């Protein structure tokens, strides 16, 4: 508007000057040039006003740009048809990206403009501690009422200000029953030279050191330098002895499904996905206990599309979305209705009863959970020690 007003003023002055000083045909020539210039500026201004890159795309934050939401979650962690349906229902464009671990997600935050992220419990605590998460307006998330009370007010968000649970489950050992001598029951298998070259370990410090701690009988939440050093030594010795074929995250699917490795530690939900492609695979929560986790949806404090983010969260914790997600990714939902209805939903969808032994792996009983620990955020000194030990182990993330 400023440009157009300025141009109009210039044109007026020029026309007045021409009328008083030049001949009629020269007037026409000058006026033609002015009209052309005005048209050019109008066109450029119009282009600038229509270009989302120049006007911004803040959606619910007051811009006229197209509404969108930027989501970062884990790989293999959503029924992708839900993304399309959300976009059609709301007109909100979903830009969906993935990270392989909580640590990788945390590292990405420095250079990305995410609105919604889906970290695990201990990382959520750290992000709250660092002031990186926005408090949610639960009036915009009415489906939060469908979340089972046992997944609310947990240690990572005790006042339920910042999060809506997305999935939950356990970590265990997945093994190929045709490639081991006997059923595996202990974390010992993750360090046994008998399986040298056939074991896959987590490629993140919290899980890898946590498994070593559990094998040694220690809490996964210890701050003891001596206990963490022992856990490191156990991992380092196994690595030096060639026990590990590799330290992996999403690569585990291909390796276990195709029989390229015999043993790995991974998540129960992902085991059920692998089982569809390799029926020889088994899953066990080791006798020493394990980690049980909750992954939750959060909005970053500097999110540029907070309203859209809350719409996305509300959609994803609806009963229908939770049922379909459970059926696709095999992770248990915290939605109480979905948990109760899933066996019936499965039978209606596939025309056969759900294998309740598999359902017990996806949604384990409270008895199993009582033998597991959730990761809690550790003090900065302990987190620094984790990073130093991981660096010393020489793993390429």
């Amino acid at each position: 508007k400023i440009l157009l007003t300025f141009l109009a003023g210039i044109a007026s002055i020029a026309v007045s000057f021409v009328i008083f000083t030049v001949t009629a045909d020269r007037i026409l020539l000058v006026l033609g040039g002015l009209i052309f210039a005005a048209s050019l500026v109008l066109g450029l201004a119009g282009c600038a006003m229509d270009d989302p890159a120049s006007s911004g795309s803040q959606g619910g934050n007051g811009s006229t740009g197209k509404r969108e939401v930027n989501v970062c979650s884990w790989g293999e962690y959503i029924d992708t048809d839900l993304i399309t349906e959300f976009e059609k229902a709301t007109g909100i464009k979903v830009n969906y990206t993935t990270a392989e671990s909580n640590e990788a997600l945390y590292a990405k935050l420095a250079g990305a403009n995410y609105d919604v992220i889906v970290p695990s419990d201990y990382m959520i605590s750290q992000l709250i501690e660092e002031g990186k998460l926005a408090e949610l307006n639960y009036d915009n998330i009415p489906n939060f009422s469908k979340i089972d009370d046992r997944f609310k007010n947990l240690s990572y968000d005790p006042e339920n200000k910042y999060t809506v649970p997305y999935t939950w489950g356990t970590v265990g050992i997945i093994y190929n029953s045709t490639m081991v001598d006997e059923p595996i029951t202990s974390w010992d298998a993750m360090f046994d030279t008998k399986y040298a070259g056939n074991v896959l370990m987590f490629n993140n410090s919290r899980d890898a050191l946590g498994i070593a701690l559990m094998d040694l009988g220690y809490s996964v939440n210890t701050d003891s330098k001596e206990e963490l050093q022992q856990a490191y030594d156990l991992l380092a010795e196994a690595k030096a002895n060639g026990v590990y074929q590799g330290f992996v995250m999403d690569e585990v699917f291909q390796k276990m499904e195709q029989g390229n490795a015999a043993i790995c530690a991974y998540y129960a939900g992902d085991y059920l996905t692998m089982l569809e492609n390799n029926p020889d695979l088994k899953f066990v929560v080791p006798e020493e206990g394990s980690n049980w986790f909750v992954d939750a949806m959060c909005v970053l404090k500097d999110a540029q599309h907070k309203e859209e983010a809350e719409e996305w969260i509300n959609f994803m914790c609806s009963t229908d979305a939770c049922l379909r997600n459970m059926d696709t990714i095999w992770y248990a939902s915290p939605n109480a209705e979905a948990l109760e209805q899933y066996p019936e939903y499965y039978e209606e969808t596939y025309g056969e009863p759900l294998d309740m032994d598999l359902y017990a792996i996806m949604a384990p009983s409270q008895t199993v959970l009582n033998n597991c620990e959730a990761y809690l955020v550790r003090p900065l000194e302990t987190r620094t020690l984790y990073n130093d030990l991981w660096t010393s182990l020489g793993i390429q993330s």
Side-chain angles (χ1 to χ4, degrees), residues 6 11 14 18 25 64-65 74 104 162 172 243 253 267 284-285 287 307 328 339 347 369:
F6 176 76
V18 170
D25 54 343
T64 58
W74 314 124
Y162 304 94
V243 171
F253 289 94
Y267 310 106
V284 62
V285 173
E287 58 197 19
E307 291 180 15
T328 300
L339 278 175
E347 187 166 1
L369 297 183

Side-chain angles (χ1 to χ4, degrees), residues 24-269:
D25 54 343
R26 292 184 65 191
I27 291 175
L28 291 174
L29 179 63
V30 173
L31 284 176
L34 289 171
I35 291 169
F36 175 77
S39 299
L40 180 61
V41 173
L42 277 169
L44 291 174
C47 290
M49 287 185 287
D50 290 339
D51 182 3
S54 64
S55 64
S57 182
Q58 303 298 316
N61 298 309
S63 154
T64 58
K66 183 176 180 180
R67 300 180 76 202
E68 63 182 6
V69 61
N70 302 310
V71 180
C72 187
S73 187
W74 314 124
E76 312 285 340
Y77 217 42
I78 190 173
D79 176 350
T80 54
D81 287 343
L82 291 171
I83 297 175
T84 303
E85 290 183 19
F86 175 80
E87 290 178 330
K88 288 181 178 178
T90 65
I92 298 170
K93 170 67 177 174
V94 179
N95 303 310
Y96 194 91
T97 57
T98 63
E100 284 199 334
S101 69
N102 283 287
E103 289 70 26
L105 171 61
Y106 183 83
K108 282 187 168 190
L109 296 183
N113 295 315
Y114 301 127
D115 301 304
V116 180
I117 57 173
V118 191
S120 302
D121 32 38
Y122 72 94
M123 184 56 69
I124 292 169
S125 294
Q126 181 175 333
L127 293 169
I128 293 173
E129 177 186 301
E130 295 176 357
K132 288 184 166 65
L133 298 185
E135 292 191 17
L136 299 178
N137 181 355
Y138 288 91
D139 290 341
N140 294 332
I141 312 173
N143 285 327
F144 182 67
S145 64
K146 299 181 184 296
I147 302 298
D148 195 314
D149 286 343
R150 63 188 170 127
F151 300 110
K152 296 177 179 178
N153 305 104
L154 295 176
S155 58
Y156 60 85
D157 186 11
E159 298 180 66
N160 259 125
K161 292 182 177 181
Y162 304 94
T163 60
V164 174
Y166 181 67
T167 59
W168 61 280
T170 58
V171 171
I173 294 176
I174 303 170
Y175 65 94
N176 189 317
S177 59
T178 68
M179 298 175 69
V180 301
D181 296 336
E182 57 188 4
I184 289 173
T185 61
S186 169
W187 286 118
D188 288 346
M190 297 297 297
F191 308 95
D192 195 334
T193 55
K194 177 170 61 175
Y195 302 116
N198 267 315
V199 180
L200 303 173
M201 177 57 84
F202 275 108
N203 190 8
N204 73 75
S205 60
R206 192 69 196 263
D207 281 314
L209 286 165
I211 287 169
L213 288 168
M214 289 184 287
D215 190 54
L216 293 167
Y218 299 140
S219 168
V220 296
N221 294 308
T222 183
D223 295 317
S224 166
K225 293 180 180 179
E226 292 76 14
E227 291 176 358
L228 284 165
Q229 183 64 49
Q230 289 179 49
Y232 166 82
D233 291 342
L234 184 59
L235 275 171
E237 182 180 4
K239 180 174 180 284
N241 288 334
V243 171
Y244 302 123
Q245 184 184 115
F247 288 72
V248 301
M249 293 302 295
D250 287 347
E251 309 97 301
V252 73
F253 289 94
Q254 176 267 326
K255 288 181 175 292
M256 294 303 294
E257 288 173 357
Q258 296 185 16
N260 296 327
I263 301 170
C264 73
Y266 222 63
Y267 310 106

